[in-house]
């Protein structure tokens, strides 16, 4: 155990001193920082001056519409028998100030909205960057040939593989968990200062962040196991790109359900479950347009759910198969 | 417990290509290197299986057949138990290019729990001081070799396996490394030195193994491998008259340029006969084959055997 911990410390030092890993870690901080700053600026509430301008614009637009309504009441369904056309128009045309602030020019910072917006973006970037970190860490060892040198000091290959895997996974998990927690904590603070933080939103967002950290750690481990298998960073990236392109085409060509789409399953992991469209799930019978008084179903009822555990099982099985192949290959194959 | 530090029996290594081709790199190799210090040369032409044998001994490659022992322990099964006593440089030095020489050594030392002072010691031994904090990729090939040799010293090894350790070194560097190797051998470390520079091996080694096409061709003390010779070359002012005088004394001699080549196991007789004939000797050399000649003879006959 002592020897393994010794090895773990060496691998951690090697991981943290690798320049490519340092650059990727810096990117892991920079990308969420940029996305966070953009999100905060994009959702900045309007100033008093801007609100006054919006109110003036809203009032002017309403007045113009009231005038049009008074002149053309029939366009608004107001009958010619109406005694007071102006009052009828007043009733119909509401004060739509909120439309200008909420849905028009300004977004509001709400953490539950951000989870599916900037949160997914940050999680995706982290997963990709940490996958590259896991890949380049071990790819560099193979490329420089230093794996053989390491084995001259610790020939127990299972230990070497496990120590490297633990460092890559643990390093990615800690980095992603800290970054995601910081991301949501900062957004939560800003939302709180703007009075838009609902009860429980921050905890939900943090949980989403921790799930994303788990996904990023798994991505880093995937990068590591594939590189230990192919013994080349370039080969790993090529295989991953090829698999994603060819896999998507294959799924589309043979008409496999979205249930097996890796992207859908990744989203289910990050969002603690997600839904996908499936025609098979649609109720039979005549299609009825949503909003119709006789509506019997909407397109929402054509959606099926992928739970967190479904997605874990599905994607985890790929990781397990890759991991076993990588481990066995490293133990048995000659090292150049 | 065997007295041999390295022992292989019927060792074989096959490489199979994707197209189904088969290449035998090592075939039925019986190697025996005694312990207790000294330098054992491991010779063979390029592609003869030296590096493959070393890589199998160190657990980097799996043998197809045969058994191997280091310090009497079967490897690779018990390699972890003996690797701490084995230092090795296999082929070219392989370290992380963006780390400093020192960091590369520190990481290796830390993986076996060696103290940092051992790194300082190893750096001093190979005279890397002053450049140890430079990036490894900035080193010349000779300096990279020094880092590799320093790495082997981190373990305080009883067996050192060096595969072409003087590759890329300048003449002064070669001499330094040669002296280091000789010193280690004299200090009780057994060194297996794989090299194609035969003069170097002859200078440093006490025993040697010669292989060709993955097969053992000869093994033993260097003196025994070189054998004895009765041929001598005598430089004299008049080679024709000298050859006649030697012939009259029943010493077979032939003119060879400005000298005569004489066959006798007693060189004192040459000086005596020539002196009595009034021919004064300028130079007398024993024409003993050097290791290169022995090596070339052995490997040539191996190739001929293959062709036949």
């Amino acid at each position: 155990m002592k020897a393994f911990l010794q090895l773990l410390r060496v691998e951690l030092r090697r991981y943290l001193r690798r320049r490519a890993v340092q650059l990727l870690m810096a990117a892991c901080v920079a990308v969420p920082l940029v996305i966070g700053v953009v999100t905060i600026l994009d959702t900045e509430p309007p100033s008093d001056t801007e609100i006054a301008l919006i109110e003036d614009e809203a009032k002017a637009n309403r007045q113009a519409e009231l005038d049009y309504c008074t002149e053309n009441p029939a366009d608004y369904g107001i009958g010619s028998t109406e005694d007071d056309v102006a009052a009828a128009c007043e009733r119909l045309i509401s004060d739509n100030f909120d439309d200008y602030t909420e849905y028009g020019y300004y977004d509001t910072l709400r953490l539950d909205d951000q989870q599916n917006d900037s949160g997914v973006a940050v999680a995706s970037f982290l997963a990709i960057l940490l996958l590259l970190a896991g890949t380049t860490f071990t790819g560099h060892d193979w490329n420089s040939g230093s794996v053989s040198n390491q084995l001259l000091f610790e020939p127990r290959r299972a230990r070497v593989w496990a120590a490297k895997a633990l460092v890559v996974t643990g390093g990615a998990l800690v980095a992603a968990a800290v970054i995601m927690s910081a991301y949501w904590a900062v957004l939560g603070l800003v939302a709180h200062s703007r009075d838009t933080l609902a009860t429980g939103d921050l905890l939900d967002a943090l949980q989403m962040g921790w799930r994303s950290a788990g996904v990023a750690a798994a991505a880093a481990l995937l990068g590591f196991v594939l590189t230990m298998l192919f013994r080349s960073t370039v080969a790993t990236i090529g295989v991953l790109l090829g698999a994603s392109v060819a896999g998507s085409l294959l799924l589309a060509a043979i008409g496999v359900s979205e249930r097996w789409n890796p992207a859908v399953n990744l989203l289910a992991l990050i969002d603690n479950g997600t839904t996908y469209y499936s025609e098979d799930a649609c109720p039979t019978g005549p299609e009825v347009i949503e909003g119709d008084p006789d509506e019997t179903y909407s397109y929402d009822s054509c959606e099926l759910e992928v739970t967190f555990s479904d997605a874990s099982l599905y994607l985890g099985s790929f990781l397990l198969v890759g991991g076993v192949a990588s481990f066995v290959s490293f133990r048995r194959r000659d090292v150049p | 417990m065997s007295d041999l530090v390295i022992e292989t029996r019927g060792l074989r290594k096959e490489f199979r290509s994707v197209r189904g081709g088969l290449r035998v790199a090592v075939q039925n190799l019986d190697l025996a290197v005694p312990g207790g210090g000294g330098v054992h040369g491991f010779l063979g032409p390029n592609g003869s299986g030296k590096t493959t044998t070393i890589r199998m001994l160190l657990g980097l490659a799996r043998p197809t057949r045969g058994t191997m022992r280091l310090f009497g322990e079967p490897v690779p099964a018990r390699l972890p138990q003996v690797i701490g006593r084995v230092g090795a440089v296999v082929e070219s030095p392989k370290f992380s290019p963006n780390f400093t020489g020192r960091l590369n050594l520190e990481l290796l030392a830390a993986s076996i729990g060696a103290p940092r002072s051992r790194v300082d010691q190893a750096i001093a031994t190979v005279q890397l001081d002053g450049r140890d904090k430079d990036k490894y990729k900035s080193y010349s090939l000779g300096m990279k070799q020094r880092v590799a040799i320093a790495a082997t010293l981190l373990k305080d090894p009883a067996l050192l396996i060096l595969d072409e350790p003087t590759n890329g070194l300048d003449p002064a560097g070669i001499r330094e490394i040669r002296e280091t190797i000789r010193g280690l051998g004299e200090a009780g470390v057994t060194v297996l030195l794989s090299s194609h520079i035969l003069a170097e091996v002859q200078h440093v080694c006490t025993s040697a193994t010669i292989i060709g096409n993955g097969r053992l061709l000869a093994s033993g003390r260097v003196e025994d491998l070189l054998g004895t010779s009765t041929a001598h070359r005598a430089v004299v002012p008049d080679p024709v008259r000298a050859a006649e005088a030697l012939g009259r004394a029943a010493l077979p001699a032939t003119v060879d340029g400005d000298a005569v080549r004489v066959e006798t196991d007693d060189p004192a007789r040459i000086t005596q006969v020539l002196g009595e004939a009034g021919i004064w000797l300028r130079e007398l050399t024993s024409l003993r084959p050097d290791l290169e000649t022995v090596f070339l003879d052995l490997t040539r006959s191996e190739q001929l055997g293959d062709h036949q």
Side-chain angles (χ1 to χ4, degrees):
Chain A
M1 191 62 189
K2 189 187 163 202
F4 184 69
L5 288 175
Q6 207 165 269
L7 194 59
L8 213 53
R9 274 199 296 273
V10 169
E11 290 302 337
L12 182 61
R13 201 169 158 203
R14 189 173 276 130
Y15 182 74
L16 295 176
R17 295 293 291 263
R18 193 79 84 216
R19 199 170 50 176
V21 172
Q22 288 171 349
L23 287 173
L24 287 164
M25 286 293 180
C28 284
V29 174
V31 170
L33 191 69
V34 170
I35 293 177
V37 168
V38 169
T39 303
I40 289 167
L41 293 177
D42 273 358
T43 56
E44 203 171 20
S47 65
D48 291 344
T49 316
E50 285 171 320
I51 288 172
L53 281 171
I54 292 164
E55 279 176 344
D56 288 349
E57 192 182 345
K59 276 179 192 164
N61 285 346
R62 184 170 185 252
Q63 191 54 54
E65 200 170 352
L66 284 172
D67 292 346
Y68 182 83
C69 177
T70 311
E71 287 164 19
N72 307 285
D75 288 359
Y76 290 82
I78 299 168
S80 54
T81 54
E82 187 70 51
D83 292 339
D84 190 347
V85 172
C89 285
E90 284 275 356
R91 279 197 305 277
L92 274 176
I93 300 167
S94 63
D95 177 2
N96 53 359
F97 174 71
D98 285 347
D99 290 351
Y100 286 81
T101 54
E102 284 286 304
Y103 308 110
Y105 306 121
Y106 296 96
D107 284 332
T108 304
L109 181 61
R110 292 200 175 87
L111 259 54
D112 57 344
D113 291 343
Q114 286 302 323
Q115 279 188 43
N116 287 319
D117 193 353
S118 68
V120 170
V122 171
S124 305
F125 273 114
L126 283 185
I128 292 168
L129 291 170
L130 290 168
L131 180 144
L132 290 176
T135 302
T136 188
F137 168 63
T138 192
H140 181 273
D141 281 348
W142 286 109
N143 192 36
S144 66
S146 66
V147 174
S148 62
N149 226 349
Q150 293 166 32
L151 291 175
L152 294 180
F153 283 75
E154 176 48 273
R156 283 168 282 223
R157 295 192 188 187
R159 279 192 189 192
V160 173
W161 191 94
K164 285 179 186 290
L166 264 175
V167 162
V168 165
T169 314
L173 185 67
V174 170
V178 168
I179 291 165
M180 289 303 293
S181 300
Y183 183 79
W184 289 121
V186 170
L187 286 195
L189 271 174
V190 174
H192 179 70
S193 70
R194 293 175 184 173
D195 282 333
T196 56
L197 182 65
T199 314
D201 271 5
L202 181 59
L203 183 62
D204 281 351
L206 284 171
Q207 285 174 345
M208 180 267 189
W210 298 331
R211 284 193 302 274
S212 304
V215 169
L221 180 61
L222 178 70
F224 167 78
V225 299
L226 291 181
T227 311
M228 287 298 270
L229 185 64
F230 300 127
R231 301 180 168 193
S232 155
T233 303
V234 176
T236 300
I237 293 171
V239 165
L240 284 172
L241 280 176
S244 61
V245 172
S248 306
L249 290 174
L250 189 70
L251 287 177
I254 59 176
V256 173
S257 161
E258 283 289 293
R259 162 70 183 88
W260 309 113
N261 185 336
V264 170
N265 285 272
L266 275 173
L267 198 61
L269 288 182
I270 293 171
D271 281 349
N272 197 19
T274 189
T275 56
Y276 64 96
Y277 178 81
S278 169
E279 275 188 19
D280 296 342
C282 295
T284 51
E287 185 177 316
V288 179
I289 297 166
E290 196 174 346
D292 191 287
D294 297 326
E295 177 187 356
T296 54
Y297 74 91
S298 72
Y299 285 109
D300 284 348
S301 58
C302 296
E303 287 184 342
L304 291 176
E305 191 186 7
V306 185
T307 64
F308 179 84
S309 50
D310 291 340
S312 305
L313 198 67
Y314 175 57
L315 295 177
S317 60
F318 281 109
L319 191 56
L320 184 69
V321 169
V324 169
S326 166
F327 181 77
V328 171
S329 153
F330 183 61
R331 285 203 68 184
R332 296 192 61 83
R333 282 171 67 193
D334 293 352
V335 172
Chain B
M1 183 81 179
S2 166
D3 289 337
L4 299 173
V5 287
I6 298 176
E7 188 181 3
T8 70
R9 287 273 175 272
L11 193 63
R12 183 180 176 87
K13 176 68 178 177
E14 296 171 356
F15 291 105
R16 286 176 191 280
S17 69
V18 182
R19 291 177 183 171
L22 176 74
R23 187 172 71 80
V24 181
V26 177
Q27 37 189 324
N28 302 321
L29 181 65
D30 295 338
L31 181 65
V33 179
V39 185
H40 186 92
F42 191 38
L43 314 176
N46 286 340
S48 60
K50 299 187 302 289
T51 300
T52 304
T53 303
I54 289 174
R55 288 163 47 72
M56 284 191 285
L57 282 167
L58 296 168
L60 298 176
R62 296 169 75 86
T64 308
R65 240 192 343 259
T67 59
M68 303 178 289
R69 286 178 181 274
L70 287 177
F71 298 103
E73 299 283 355
V75 291
R78 288 188 57 80
L79 186 60
Q81 280 70 35
V82 294
I83 197 76
R85 296 157 69 193
V86 183
V89 179
V90 185
E91 291 183 303
S92 54
K94 290 164 182 169
F95 293 91
S96 294
N98 287 314
F99 289 174
T100 64
R102 174 172 282 276
L103 179 60
N104 271 301
L105 293 173
E106 281 178 358
L107 288 169
L108 293 175
S111 70
I112 53 167
R116 197 165 283 200
S117 58
R118 186 77 60 77
V119 175
D120 297 331
Q121 220 172 358
I123 285 173
T125 305
V126 299
Q127 297 174 343
L128 199 69
D129 325 53
R131 291 292 310 273
D132 57 315
K133 287 175 183 163
D134 292 350
K135 283 191 176 172
Y136 178 77
K137 67 180 176 187
S138 71
Y139 292 166
S140 65
L141 186 55
M143 294 189 73
K144 288 176 179 172
Q145 286 285 13
R146 286 165 200 257
V147 178
I149 292 172
T152 67
L153 302 176
L154 295 173
K155 296 182 186 176
D156 196 12
L159 169 64
L160 212 51
I161 298 176
L162 304 174
D163 192 7
E164 307 285 1
T166 53
N167 259 2
L169 294 181
D170 55 23
I174 291 174
R175 174 172 283 192
E176 281 166 21
I177 295 299
R178 189 193 292 161
E179 291 308 314
T180 305
I181 292 170
R182 199 201 307 268
L184 286 165
E186 285 167 3
V189 177
T190 303
V191 183
L192 179 72
L193 176 66
S194 162
S195 177
H196 66 272
I197 304 172
L198 300 167
E200 172 182 291
V201 173
Q202 195 171 344
H203 271 113
V204 178
C205 297
T206 44
S207 58
T209 293
I210 301 175
I211 65 170
N213 285 334
R215 279 191 281 257
L216 179 74
L217 301 181
S219 188
R221 286 168 42 79
V222 171
E223 293 293 314
D224 298 339
L225 290 174
L226 295 177
T228 52
S229 171
T230 55
H232 297 81
R233 187 170 185 271
V235 180
V236 287
D238 188 347
V240 175
R241 202 159 69 83
E244 287 167 3
L246 289 164
R248 281 196 297 274
L251 293 175
T254 51
V255 177
D256 180 14
D258 61 347
V260 283
R261 186 186 164 101
V262 194
E263 296 292 334
T264 176
D265 51 7
D266 182 9
R269 284 273 294 141
I270 301 173
T271 56
Q272 185 193 352
V273 170
L274 291 176
E276 285 168 1
I279 302 167
W280 305 112
L281 198 59
R282 287 181 179 156
E283 189 181 319
L284 181 63
T285 318
S286 171
L287 292 176
R288 193 181 192 198
D290 58 7
L291 198 53
E292 187 168 286
T293 312
V294 173
F295 173 82
L296 289 174
D297 284 350
L298 282 168
T299 52
R300 197 179 297 126
S301 56
E302 165 69 12
Q303 281 166 358
L304 284 172
D306 262 13
H307 288 303
Q308 284 161 6

